[in-house]
Amino acid sequence: MEKYVIHGGKPLHGEVEISGAKNAAVAIIPAALMVHGVCRLENLPEISDTDTLLRILTYLGAKVNMINRSTVELDCTHVQMDLIPDQMWDMTRRIRASYYLIGAMLGRFGRARTTMPGGCNFGIRPIDQHIKGLTALGADVTLSGGFICANARDGHLHGRTIYLDKVSVGATINIMIAAVTAEGRTVIENVAREPHIVDLANFLNSMGADVRGAGTDVIKIRGVKQLHGGSYALIPDQIEAGTYMAAVAAAGGSIRVSNIIPKHLEGISSKLQEMNVEVEEGDDYVLVRRDGPLHNANIKTKPYPGFPTDMQPQMTAVLCCAPGVSVVTEAVWSSGRFKYVAELNKMGAHIEVEDQSAFIQGVDSLTGATVRACDLRAGAAMVIAGLAAQGVTQIEDVLYIERGYQDIVGKFRALGADIRCIDEPEEPARGWNAG
Ligand code: UD1
């Protein structure tokens, strides 16, 4: 079992290059199923979630050609499978984004069947808005025995106006993918506005789709017959960048975070500035520096352009050592997203969760302990806490972290952190014959 071991208390210095956006990649790879021709994707992050999706497409019959670590050529022209075969169920159950295969297969073949998705466990993660949208486009969608089945009633989809009752990144993406080749015009109202929604729309348009309005709360799609091949470079990862910024806030030091779009980080940058962290924007980088004491702050997560829920655990880790009381309120997910708080408390933090809020009483310093990554971003929060803490922190279940952060150990080491990944054999089960 792999673990991270961190000797904390060292400020960070140097430069970190941000990889392509995970949440854009996990939408764009399934969307490539809609493309007839070779689709070249650049700035793809090298993480286990993208690897899983590329394996699934390969199994379905796509040609996947890795050009280098961040560039892939995908050709789904000859894919004919409209269901995910049982050999792939393990993989589709492992990640959240596997449900985008439903939108893509339904759009392309008029039929789709896969398992219910997996992904981080923040409590209940309903998909009623995905079903509402796909049903409105003319599909019968059924959920049964852990599977999702969708069939276009007359063989293909028809454009409609759909109002999302809840702002949902996943439902916006799934409906957008399915609608690009639906007959006529689709209007999706009350959609999510995250940067990766805009990135998916730009990708689809560069392959011949007609999607307008991404980035606002109404997306309009005029259906086209078929998408064609092309080349597309993904946006940088807003949350990966925010994680390194938060790490400097917690551990101190001064770093340059490069290959980013500073506009996407505005919510994170201004919160860090409120916490006495200097953030200076360049064209495609930010300089982040913290050498004075942290100030406490209150944070409430919201859909973009509000404060991202995927930065909530990392910011809670930073606020552990801000004098006074800080309140972090989770308004996108349930309080199930605060499971990691118990791990921070093992490191000497004083945090209590009540309803949807974490009340953080700042302490002088954290102390190293053995903790686990409860999910992807919670795992990143443990790394940040470990870097700031005095002594040694061991983080277990790091597989979650590697689902979404490219070479997190290498990148932090390059910033001067004392972090390494060790592979420890699991303890053998003790039985009667144990020596
Ligand atoms: C995506 C991100 C995840 C991030 C989240 C919010 C991916 C792979 N994951 O997840 O990292 O935390 O956006 O920024 O991109 N909801 C419903 N019905 C639905 C769908 C969602 O009620 O059909 C609710 C959810 O329970 C949640 C809220 O809407 O309370 C937001 O969920 P959504 O935006 O869909 O998140 P995901 O797409 O699953």
Side-chain angles (χ1 to χ4, degrees), residues 78-147:
H78 302 292
V79 172
Q80 284 182 341
M81 277 195 220
D82 54 12
L83 58 80
I84 302 295
D86 52 358
Q87 293 85 342
M88 293 288 107
W89 291 350
D90 229 25
M91 291 196 179
T92 50
R93 285 192 180 117
R94 205 178 299 155
I95 58 173
R96 194 76 201 151
S98 62
Y99 59 13
Y100 298 142
L101 293 164
I102 288 283
M105 286 179 158
L106 192 57
R108 174 143 174 202
F109 305 114
R111 271 162 52 89
R113 184 173 190 258
T114 186
T115 64
M116 285 294 280
C120 293
N121 179 5
F122 315 138
I124 297 168
R125 295 183 75 170
I127 59 165
D128 56 303
Q129 298 306 305
H130 301 238
I131 298 173
K132 174 180 174 176
L134 299 177
T135 306
L137 295 177
D140 287 325
V141 185
T142 51
L143 302 185
S144 150
F147 291 88

Side-chain angles (χ1 to χ4, degrees), residues 126-203:
I127 59 165
D128 56 303
Q129 298 306 305
H130 301 238
I131 298 173
K132 174 180 174 176
L134 299 177
T135 306
L137 295 177
D140 287 325
V141 185
T142 51
L143 302 185
S144 150
F147 291 88
I148 316 172
C149 272
N151 287 296
R153 284 188 282 278
D154 64 4
H156 58 274
L157 301 176
H158 300 271
R160 285 286 180 276
T161 295
I162 300 156
Y163 178 85
L164 296 182
D165 303 311
K166 179 106 196 185
V167 177
S168 158
V169 171
T172 304
I173 289 176
N174 229 341
I175 301 166
M176 249 168 100
I177 296 174
V180 287
T181 53
E183 206 178 283
R185 187 167 181 257
T186 300
V187 178
I188 325 171
E189 294 174 345
N190 197 30
V191 295
R193 292 181 279 165
E194 267 67 3
H196 40 285
I197 303 277
V198 180
D199 209 35
L200 172 66
N202 289 341
F203 162 77

Side-chain angles (χ1 to χ4, degrees), residues 287-323:
L287 300 175
V288 190
R289 177 189 169 100
R290 206 269 292 168
D291 47 21
L294 283 166
H295 293 174
N296 62 338
N298 296 336
I299 297 177
K300 184 172 185 178
T301 66
K302 292 213 180 93
Y304 191 83
F307 192 87
T309 172
D310 286 357
M311 279 299 299
Q312 180 258 94
Q314 301 90 314
M315 293 300 254
T316 302
V318 179
L319 288 167
C320 286
C321 294

